[in-house]
Amino acid sequence: MNHYWQKSLQHPFRLFFPLISFAVLIALLPWLALSFLPSQAAHFPLHWHAFAFVHLTGGAAFAGFLLTALPEWTDDRRKLHAHSIRLLVLWGIALCGLWQLSIGAWLIVPFWVYLFALTASFVWRNKDSRQLSLLFCLSLIIVLAIAYAANGEGRYLHAGVDAMLLAVAIINFRVARAIGNQALEDGGRLDERFIPNPYYKNLSCFWLAAATASGLAASHSVQGWLYLAAGTAFVARLHDFHHLRLLRFAYVRAHYAVSLSLALGYSALGAVLLLVPAYSSFARHFLAIAVYLLMILTIISIAGQRHSGVKLHFHSDIRLALTLLLIAACARGIYSAFEPNINGIYRLPAVAIAVAFIVYCLRYLRIFARNEPR
């Protein structure tokens, strides 16, 4: 056990990736209470689920991924034990503040500031300007976290989802390159290399950043056009994978499906804001579940295998988990917009999301226990 703990502190994805499942279950408590124990639902603060999804789930995902990827990207193999412990403590303190969000919202800020400073130290020490976009995303998340803590307005949590997805869109470029080259290698094409189009990546990130900023003050029409521009740029990024030599592999198809949901989600949000703004909750909830949570689950599944020295493979239970998230997103969005009821808005999505992340946790705890991290 001590060996596992020491290895996990140096390779924090083994700590933070399972912690994501715990954070998701914590975020779902108000929905589960409303579904099965209605008398207890009033005890949860208004923004409990949104805050936990954005900052606790997202925080665990970012800490686990960045502390795993940055040493490889920057060729900086420093010891991470102390940093892992500090981030775990800061995350735990923020978790304890959930019951009183007026305080808890401030408690997450030190976590993000520490993660920003640690990322900046990797960038500065290795003079790696390629990671500056990640620093921009982390600084945006910090600003939005402080803004929410200061006035408690839900729009800053909505913008937080966009900021998270902006960072994911940047990270996803590297993930796409990794799985594309893995697919070529698995297909025996050792003399070929896969490089996604960087211009489409830059365009999609630029428009999403502009749309995120517009969501705080601009009119629905301005937001709509910017989100539509971001959505169409994400559609263009799909072209990179339109090759049978790539799509023949299940992990590429899973990644493609998640990327497609990102493109459709932002395109739908833009169209809804332009035509029927009152129904924007459908697209928002689709983005939060079918894009944000689905992206997290896909990326940590890929990273968890690659950094455990396991051949990349999407097991049937993980594919089931991804499907459950899509079902949850469709149920939450459609029922919210057209037929509000407890089963469609809360019970079905909550159970589907919970089962999806429990399945992930059970699968990957076994993988982490049986394989040495790399």
Side-chain angles (χ1 to χ4, degrees):
M1 186 64 180
N2 184 58
H3 174 74
Y4 182 89
W5 175 249
Q6 291 299 321
K7 285 287 187 181
S8 297
L9 288 175
Q10 181 58 27
H11 301 273
F13 71 92
R14 290 156 61 101
L15 297 174
F16 284 103
F17 285 2
L19 202 59
I20 292 170
S21 296
F22 176 68
V24 167
L25 294 177
I26 292 296
L28 290 172
L29 284 179
W31 292 8
L32 292 170
L34 196 60
S35 300
F36 301 104
L37 294 169
S39 61
Q40 303 301 313
H43 295 299
F44 294 94
L46 175 63
H47 291 150
W48 171 296
H49 76 286
F51 181 86
F53 274 135
V54 173
H55 290 293
L56 294 181
T57 303
F62 272 75
F65 185 85
L66 289 179
L67 267 64
T68 301
L70 284 172
E72 180 179 327
W73 292 348
T74 61
D75 198 26
D76 185 338
R77 304 294 176 173
R78 70 178 76 175
K79 289 187 177 299
L80 296 174
H81 298 71
H83 297 300
S84 298
I85 292 172
R86 289 169 194 151
L87 284 168
L88 279 171
V89 170
L90 291 172
W91 189 91
I93 291 172
L95 171 65
C96 294
L98 264 180
W99 289 104
Q100 188 62 45
L101 268 182
S102 59
I103 298 173
W106 286 108
L107 295 178
I108 196 62
V109 175
F111 171 88
W112 287 115
V113 170
Y114 191 93
L115 188 57
F116 173 89
L118 183 57
T119 303
S121 72
F122 275 97
V123 174
W124 175 260
R125 180 181 294 185
N126 300 280
K127 303 296 186 290
D128 190 350
S129 60
R130 294 173 300 173
Q131 317 309 331
L132 290 177
S133 55
L134 289 175
L135 288 177
F136 169 77
C137 291
L138 288 171
S139 63
L140 180 58
I141 292 169
I142 291 170
V143 169
L144 292 171
I146 292 173
Y148 175 74
N151 57 43
E153 293 184 18
R155 61 187 175 132
Y156 294 110
L157 293 175
H158 290 157
V161 173
D162 288 334
M164 296 284 184
L165 285 173
L166 175 60
V168 168
I170 294 169
I171 292 170
N172 198 39
F173 180 79
R174 298 214 180 205
V175 173
R177 186 169 61 186
I179 66 170
N181 284 312
Q182 183 67 55
L184 292 175
E185 181 180 330
D186 291 346
R189 299 175 180 273
L190 302 181
D191 58 336
E192 297 181 11
R193 287 291 177 268
F194 176 75
I195 302 176
N197 191 313
Y199 299 105
Y200 290 153
K201 185 261 290 186
N202 292 339
L203 280 172
S204 62
C205 292
F206 171 80
W207 288 119
L208 182 52
T212 302
S214 75
L216 299 175
S219 65
H220 288 313
S221 60
V222 171
Q223 294 178 52
W225 285 115
L226 290 174
Y227 279 119
L228 197 58
T232 53
F234 282 118
V235 170
R237 288 177 66 166
L238 296 173
H239 178 71
D240 293 329
F241 284 96
H242 288 169
H243 301 279
L244 289 178
R245 68 186 70 175
L246 301 176
L247 291 172
R248 58 183 286 205
F249 296 99
Y251 54 83
V252 175
R253 294 195 298 272
H255 181 272
Y256 185 92
V258 175
S259 300
L260 178 61
S261 71
L262 177 64
L264 294 178
Y266 275 117
S267 297
L269 179 58
V272 167
L273 286 169
L274 286 171
L275 301 174
V276 279
Y279 287 91
S280 61
S281 64
F282 170 82
R284 282 285 181 194
H285 285 111
F286 184 86
L287 281 168
I289 301 174
V291 180
Y292 175 60
L293 292 181
L294 201 63
M295 276 282 190
I296 287 177
L297 187 59
T298 302
I299 289 175
I300 64 177
S301 297
I302 293 170
Q305 291 189 58
R306 287 182 61 84
H307 290 281
S308 296
V310 177
K311 183 177 175 61
L312 193 55
H313 175 69
F314 265 70
H315 299 87
S316 58
D317 52 354
I318 298 301
R319 280 181 273 179
L320 171 63
L322 296 174
T323 303
L324 286 173
L325 288 182
L326 285 174
I327 291 172
C330 292
R332 175 76 179 180
I334 292 172
Y335 280 102
S336 294
F338 303 110
E339 193 176 342
N341 63 75
I342 293 292
N343 287 330
I345 296 178
Y346 297 108
R347 187 170 295 158
L348 175 58
V351 171
I353 294 170
V355 171
F357 279 91
I358 289 172
V359 165
Y360 166 83
C361 196
L362 294 175
R363 163 67 66 178
Y364 277 80
L365 282 176
R366 291 199 302 271
I367 290 176
F368 297 160
R370 296 172 180 174
N371 298 276
E372 290 292 306
R374 298 181 181 180

